[in-house]
Amino acid sequence: MSDASEVIAPGTAASDEAVMVKAAALLHAGRLVAFPTETVYGLGADAANPTAVARIFQAKGRPADHPLIVHLADAQQLDDWARDIPDYARRLAAAFWPGPLTLILPRQPHVSDVVTGGLDTVGLRVPSHPVAHALLVAFGGGIAAPSANRFGRVSPTRAQHVLDELRGAVEMILDGGPCSVGVESTIVDATGPAPVVLRPGGVTREAIERVLGIACGEPTEASPRAPGRLKSHYAPEATVELVPRGGLAKHAAVELAAGRRVAVLAPSAADLPVDERLLFIRLPADVEAQARELYLALREVDRARCDVALVELPDEKGLGTAVADRLRKAAAP
Ligand code: TXA
Ligand code: MG
């Protein structure tokens, strides 16, 4: 593959169509196309082409047994990829698709082991971002796509982040602007009698339970592996330290005294020590805005070459559950 990655921002309706035709042709030829979704940018390949899908693992440096989510244009394609679909999964699809929800379901026999990591299930999602939707319609099939970052790193929420990490490894990057949700989809295991949230994300557990009128189950030993649940993930180079409420100023002072360059991610810089080795990165107080800005903030920590980033966990309700989950994984050794 050439070392150029073409970055295209679909613009007017006419150029959109030409861009999508070109992107779809690349996918049909077994090439990789990065595209925006409402959660994070994805690194896409033709889900029906195992050689193409293998290129994703190569580009990301990701272990081959980690399953990929197959993205679909609409819920009508659900039965093409999954079987034995429980009624509650159809209701979740009807309520939250297009949107940041991934359903884990028994796979149809044709779904490649390269996509599922050898599992007998497949992850399916219908994204709501208009560029993702246009690409899926132009392509006509399923697009296998993980987040478009190097393995274990922070997911990209801007086209520039994809370029920074995967320049040359991806043929085309569709630039759809900043992602509106900012954290990945909620992954729901829909293979059992009740849904089980394997990864909290853009659709809250509260919303799922409200729609279904039943409580979600808890993951057990028998639940499918979801390597996004690895303890350390979504991590910047810097050490991330979770600080108890009200402790940012004190912790910052300790880190500065130890000679480290410190980033503080918080809604306000009030009370923080004034020091040229301290970088304040504003994280909005509102949890939805916080989700949107989180990965950008973590990237900023590394860009400024900070040694340590200090942050408080949000309240773990609504989208705060997903933000706290990502911060814990970023902080895990
Ligand atoms: O929002 C998202 O979900 C983004 C966008 C691009 O759609 N995608 C994403 O993909 O976050 P990825 O590969 O970075 O994370 C997907 C997670 C992985 O932890 C994978 O192990 C899990 O989903 N997964 C996929 N298929 C699975 C399956 N059949 N069983 C269990 N876990 C599965
Ligand atoms: Mg990922």
Side-chain angles (χ1 to χ4, degrees):
M1 194 176 295
S2 76
D3 52 326
S5 293
E6 188 179 9
V7 184
I8 300 186
T12 64
S15 71
D16 267 359
E17 211 179 302
V19 168
M20 293 311 156
V21 167
K22 186 170 174 185
L26 285 170
L27 290 173
H28 281 299
R31 298 292 165 188
L32 304 184
V33 173
F35 60 98
T37 82
E38 67 281 17
T39 59
V40 301
Y41 276 71
L43 179 61
D46 178 357
N49 178 345
T51 313
V53 175
R55 290 204 174 99
I56 292 177
F57 293 89
Q58 216 173 10
K60 278 189 63 114
R62 173 165 165 153
D65 63 342
H66 286 207
L68 301 176
I69 296 169
V70 177
H71 297 72
L72 305 173
D74 56 64
Q76 272 90 65
Q77 295 173 37
L78 190 51
D79 297 87
D80 298 344
W81 295 84
R83 60 189 163 76
D84 304 333
I85 301 167
D87 174 61
Y88 71 78
R90 293 198 190 273
R91 284 162 66 202
L92 291 178
F96 298 110
W97 282 353
L101 174 76
T102 296
L103 294 172
I104 307 293
L105 288 159
R107 67 167 163 172
Q108 286 287 1
H110 70 83
V111 185
S112 163
D113 279 338
V114 185
V115 171
T116 68
L119 299 175
D120 53 10
T121 56
V122 61
L124 299 173
R125 161 161 130 78
V126 176
S128 66
H129 194 293
V131 173
H133 182 74
L135 178 65
L136 283 159
V137 169
F139 178 63
I143 300 180
S147 52
N149 51 279
R150 303 275 308 162
F151 178 64
R153 295 284 163 206
V154 177
S155 296
T157 53
R158 309 281 193 279
Q160 183 63 45
H161 301 167
V162 182
L163 193 61
D164 291 345
E165 283 192 28
L166 295 175
R167 189 189 300 271
V170 50
E171 210 81 25
M172 182 189 271
I173 301 170
L174 296 172
D175 184 350
C179 299
S180 60
V181 176
V183 291
E184 297 80 354
S185 62
T186 302
I187 300 181
V188 170
D189 174 14
T191 61
V196 174
V197 176
L198 299 179
R199 176 179 72 181
V203 170
T204 65
R205 182 195 187 99
E206 293 90 327
I208 290 172
E209 295 185 338
R210 214 178 305 125
V211 160
L212 296 180
I214 56 167
C216 292
E218 294 302 325
T220 65
E221 286 292 299
S223 295
R225 325 171 270 142
R229 295 156 74 208
L230 284 177
K231 268 199 110 168
S232 172
H233 211 104
Y234 313 107
E237 306 272 357
T239 304
V240 175
E241 207 180 307
L242 306 178
V243 173
R245 286 292 161 85
L248 286 172
K250 196 183 84 194
H251 273 72
V254 170
E255 294 292 342
L256 289 169
R260 287 190 270 271
R261 281 184 63 83
V262 183
V264 176
L265 280 58
S268 153
D271 305 330
L272 292 180
V274 176
D275 190 301
E276 59 177 18
R277 288 166 306 139
L278 185 146
L279 172 69
F280 168 65
I281 300 175
R282 186 178 305 280
L283 209 52
D286 166 66
V287 77
E288 268 153 39
Q290 209 170 83
R292 205 152 45 228
E293 301 302 327
L294 178 66
Y295 290 148
L296 182 66
L298 290 176
R299 279 171 190 273
E300 183 61 20
V301 170
D302 282 345
R303 211 192 52 77
R305 297 183 192 286
C306 294
D307 302 305
V308 57
L310 306 180
V311 63
E312 293 176 354
L313 290 180
D315 288 337
E316 295 191 50
K317 52 177 198 248
L319 213 49
T321 311
V323 171
D325 172 77
R326 302 310 188 272
L327 284 173
R328 282 211 185 82
K329 283 174 179 147

